[in-house]
């Protein structure tokens, strides 16, 4: 399946998957992540329920704070 991941076209083996499955497949290991699918915020507790489908625009961002 092809999606837009962090503004880049990506080819992901297989079909639709959950946000958590995508995070694992792409080795996002940082503990504090912000996830969006098609502009909609996906909370941590929703990542096993929200599906990523062909053509979706997904953002996985590291949450970093500092001054």
């Amino acid at each position: 399946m092809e999606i837009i991941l962090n503004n880049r076209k990506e080819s992901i083996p297989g079909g639709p998957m959950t946000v958590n499955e995508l995070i694992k497949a792409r080795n996002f290991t940082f503990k504090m992540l912000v996830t969006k699918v098609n502009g909609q915020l996906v909370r941590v507790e929703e990542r096993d329920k929200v599906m990523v489908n062909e053509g979706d625009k997904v953002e996985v961002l590291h949450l970093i704070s500092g001054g």
Side-chain angles (χ1 to χ4, degrees), residues 38-67:
N38 296 323
Q40 298 293 313
L41 181 67
V42 178
R43 296 178 184 273
V44 172
E45 61 270 15
E46 299 172 331
R47 290 180 185 162
D48 281 325
K49 300 174 189 166
V50 175
M51 298 300 293
V52 176
N53 296 294
E54 177 82 27
D56 281 349
K57 181 178 179 184
V58 181
E59 294 177 68
V60 180
L61 307 170
H62 296 140
L63 184 61
I64 299 173
S65 65

Side-chain angles (χ1 to χ4, degrees):
M1 122 177 121
E2 292 192 357
I3 64 172
I4 305 297
L5 177 60
N6 293 338
N7 296 317
R8 287 189 294 175
K9 192 173 184 176
E10 296 270 346
S11 186
I12 310 290
M17 62 179 59
T18 67
V19 173
N20 261 344
E21 290 170 334
L22 176 65
I23 288 170
K24 289 176 187 167
R26 287 301 188 212
N27 292 321
F28 288 102
T29 58
F30 196 73
K31 296 286 183 194
M32 297 174 68
L33 296 173
V34 175
T35 53
K36 291 182 177 181
V37 175
N38 296 323
Q40 298 293 313
L41 181 67
V42 178
R43 296 178 184 273
V44 172
E45 61 270 15
E46 299 172 331
R47 290 180 185 162
D48 281 325
K49 300 174 189 166
V50 175
M51 298 300 293
V52 176
N53 296 294
E54 177 82 27
D56 281 349
K57 181 178 179 184
V58 181
E59 294 177 68
V60 180
L61 307 170
H62 296 140
L63 184 61
I64 299 173
S65 65

